[in-house]
Amino acid sequence: MPAGATYEPIQTVTLNGTVSTVTLGTGGTIPQTYTDLILVCNVGAVSAGNIQTRFNGDASAIYSTITLFGASSTPSSGTYPNINVMYPGVAGALPSTIASNAVIQINNYSNSTTYKNMLSRYNNAFTEVDLTMSTWRSTAPITSITLYSYSGSNYLSGSTFTLYGIKAA
């Protein structure tokens, strides 16, 4: 993040029921006037699930994720090349209470000449902490972000997803 940058709220979604997907920038409405994006998710799931992410609805296998994680007392790592989603947190399932959070930074999201990188920190109060770096191998500007609850689970009612834009001061 550039020195002197400021966060400006773009969109917040608070769930009033359980759903399996949340889209920010529906219809391609993420403004292209910021340098980077920060997405803060405070979530839980109805049953074992996890957060998966796609940009602009692209389901092709041009994403990759590298992660370091500690689940319970066992640290580990993983590499996931040529997949059709990115994982901001991969080691364990979302808890059945809203006790997980992910802070996701998306760099140069509006640039049309570079691949898009996503850095994320994910943790829940029960079992794990993850640090991941993911890449979407596309030069298209990001106009929407969709978050899927893995394995057909649903996000809990009350879960929140807030997208911020970062502008250099």
Side-chain angles (χ1 to χ4, degrees):
M1 177 171 43
T6 59
Y7 287 42
E8 294 184 10
I10 295 174
Q11 182 179 3
T12 297
V13 173
T14 301
L15 301 182
N16 292 322
T18 60
V19 299
S20 61
T21 63
V22 172
T23 300
L24 299 162
T26 305
T29 58
I30 295 176
Q32 300 295 297
T33 54
Y34 301 97
T35 55
D36 301 310
L37 299 172
I38 298 285
L39 175 57
V40 178
C41 309
N42 293 298
V43 297
V46 173
S47 61
N50 211 324
I51 301 171
Q52 297 182 335
T53 309
R54 286 188 181 136
F55 296 143
N56 299 353
D58 185 355
S60 27
I62 61 170
Y63 300 95
S64 58
T65 294
I66 297 172
T67 188
L68 301 172
F69 52 89
S72 299
S73 62
T74 308
S76 192
S77 63
T79 302
Y80 308 89
N82 303 314
I83 53 179
N84 67 353
V85 294
M86 293 179 288
Y87 300 102
V90 299
L94 292 170
S96 59
T97 61
I98 300 174
S100 289
N101 68 54
V103 178
I104 301 166
Q105 183 169 345
I106 303 162
N107 302 314
N108 298 315
Y109 78 101
S110 61
N111 187 315
S112 62
T113 62
T114 60
Y115 290 164
K116 306 307 176 278
N117 292 315
M118 180 178 88
L119 303 170
S120 60
R121 179 197 50 79
Y122 168 83
N123 67 284
N124 69 45
F126 307 107
T127 60
E128 73 175 284
V129 175
D130 293 0
L131 177 62
T132 63
M133 197 293 285
S134 300
T135 300
W136 178 43
R137 293 183 306 276
S138 173
T139 59
I142 296 170
T143 56
S144 68
I145 301 167
T146 303
L147 301 136
Y148 300 88
S149 183
Y150 179 70
S151 296
S153 183
N154 286 333
Y155 294 119
L156 289 175
S157 182
S159 294
T160 60
F161 305 83
T162 302
L163 184 65
Y164 298 91
I166 298 176
K167 282 189 177 180

